[in-house]
Amino acid sequence: MNTSSLDSGRVYDAPSNNWVYRVLPRALWPYAQLARWDRPIGWQLLMWPCFWAAGLAANTAASLGSFSFGRFAFHLFLFFVGAVAMRGAGCTYNDLVDHDIDMEVLRTRSRPLPSGRVSRLQAKIFLVAQALVGLVVLLQFNGFSIGLGIFSLAIVAIYPFAKRFTDWPQFFLGLAFSWGALMGWAAEFGGISVAAVLLYLGAVAWTIGYDTIYAYQDREDDELIGVRSTARRFGDHPRPWLVGLYGITTLLILLAFMAAGAGFVAYLALLAAAVLLVYQILVLDIHDAGQCLALFKFNNIVGLIIFAGLFAALLIRLI
């Protein structure tokens, strides 16, 4: 990597035309980069399982006669703010843990910590600030949801270390990133159901799949420095694994919809999402880092379609 990213204050793998660089003062750029505000795909992928569960729970609540549109909208707002805050906090924590590793990987050397644009103390203070925002959001939910959210922190704490002891760090990411599938249901009903668990497990498989595609960007660097990943585990033949992972994703979400009694439109949306998952597998070129990143980001559309189907099914049920 040349020094242009460092000189410009940007990071190597983020779009330079992002709002962060047009709106925020330059002094705040490193903090926005720590939180990945210049790369919204992370909070979007964290948010969708929350929205799926909230939408699925809303469909069930509507069938039971207990649905409140105001409560549903408030929950979606909280999940959005919480996803942005906790994804930022998680990335900041991950960067603190991976400081030395990031200095050895081409794609991550320009991040604020390895490039020296923020100190570890500054990063820790920023981490606490973001976590406090997340706590404020969490406290708006019922007691069961609060306890469930606190429990998830154990998984979040383990994830950055997983690449050091297992070929499946993406599994731990999936456990953490999919937690919203439980939270969305618990926020509505104050407990967990079979449908919520099935949705959670489906989201875990989805996360492993799309983050494996993402990990192929770093496979060569990871091999040099000994970082483990599913991309290294699957090697040059990821397609059978991705077929299995995305197949499990579709099947488990289908079963979750059936268990919760989702409307017909939700199933049509899931079918459309499944087609997009198949498309990713068919066109994937693991030797093209740019395409791997693009396909990873493409999963935002997958998440949106599934939620749109649930929302449309809800509206039809309410009419």
Side-chain angles (χ1 to χ4, degrees):
M1 182 188 72
N2 57 41
T3 60
S4 60
S5 294
L6 300 181
D7 295 339
S8 67
R10 267 73 161 177
V11 291
Y12 181 73
D13 60 344
S16 60
N17 62 345
N18 187 269
W19 70 269
V20 163
Y21 306 112
R22 290 182 279 106
V23 175
L24 295 184
R26 189 182 178 101
L28 296 181
W29 290 3
Y31 298 98
Q33 292 162 356
L34 277 174
R36 309 295 197 271
W37 294 341
D38 55 343
R39 281 170 284 182
I41 184 61
W43 65 256
Q44 291 165 347
L45 293 175
L46 179 62
M47 181 186 72
W48 287 128
C50 305
F51 274 36
W52 296 350
L56 189 60
N59 272 263
T60 302
S63 69
L64 296 174
S66 61
F67 174 73
S68 164
F69 192 85
R71 183 172 65 247
F72 175 60
F74 183 53
H75 285 170
L76 293 183
F77 170 74
L78 291 175
F79 286 132
F80 162 70
V81 176
V84 175
M86 294 312 296
R87 191 260 182 154
C91 288
T92 304
Y93 172 67
N94 191 76
D95 282 3
L96 284 163
V97 173
D98 287 348
H99 190 168
D100 292 337
I101 291 176
D102 285 345
M103 295 178 70
E104 302 298 326
V105 177
L106 173 64
R107 188 176 57 82
T108 57
R109 285 177 201 154
S110 58
R111 288 180 178 175
L113 274 169
S115 66
R117 285 180 287 119
V118 296
S119 68
R120 290 184 64 83
L121 176 59
Q122 290 171 323
K124 289 175 182 177
I125 293 172
F126 185 52
L127 167 61
V128 171
Q130 293 174 95
L132 288 175
V133 173
L135 177 61
V136 171
V137 169
L138 182 62
L139 292 177
Q140 307 310 305
F141 293 109
N142 57 54
F144 183 87
S145 299
I146 293 172
L148 192 64
I150 292 173
F151 183 76
S152 71
L153 295 178
I155 302 172
V156 173
I158 293 172
Y159 165 65
F161 300 98
K163 64 177 69 73
R164 294 165 169 81
F165 63 80
T166 178
D167 290 337
W168 293 82
Q170 281 71 24
F171 170 71
F172 288 89
L173 178 68
L175 294 178
F177 249 57
S178 305
W179 203 257
L182 302 176
M183 292 291 295
W185 188 275
E188 177 65 31
F189 293 113
I192 295 299
S193 70
V194 171
V197 173
L198 289 169
L199 189 65
Y200 172 67
L201 294 176
V204 170
W206 179 52
T207 306
I208 298 171
Y210 68 63
D211 201 62
T212 294
I213 294 174
Y214 181 82
Y216 271 99
Q217 298 177 90
D218 299 328
R219 186 170 61 144
E220 293 182 2
D221 283 333
D222 288 347
E223 289 174 353
L224 289 173
I225 62 179
V227 169
R228 301 163 74 175
S229 72
T230 47
R232 291 189 61 195
R233 175 68 177 80
F234 301 165
D236 291 332
H237 306 286
R239 281 190 174 82
W241 292 93
L242 292 173
V243 168
L245 288 165
Y246 282 162
I248 290 171
T249 297
T250 304
L251 175 61
L252 290 177
I253 295 177
L254 172 64
L255 293 175
F257 284 7
M258 294 172 64
F264 178 70
V265 179
Y267 295 95
L268 293 179
L270 179 60
L271 176 60
V275 170
L276 296 184
L277 294 176
V278 171
Y279 165 78
Q280 293 177 44
I281 298 171
L282 292 177
V283 304
L284 175 63
D285 179 358
I286 60 174
H287 303 293
D288 184 343
Q291 191 223 42
C292 289
L293 180 60
L295 289 177
F296 164 74
K297 291 180 178 180
F298 186 66
N299 281 278
N300 183 47
I301 304 299
V302 175
L304 173 61
I305 287 174
I306 294 174
F307 173 69
L310 288 165
F311 187 70
L314 172 65
L315 293 179
I316 292 171
R317 194 184 295 270
L318 292 174
I319 294 175

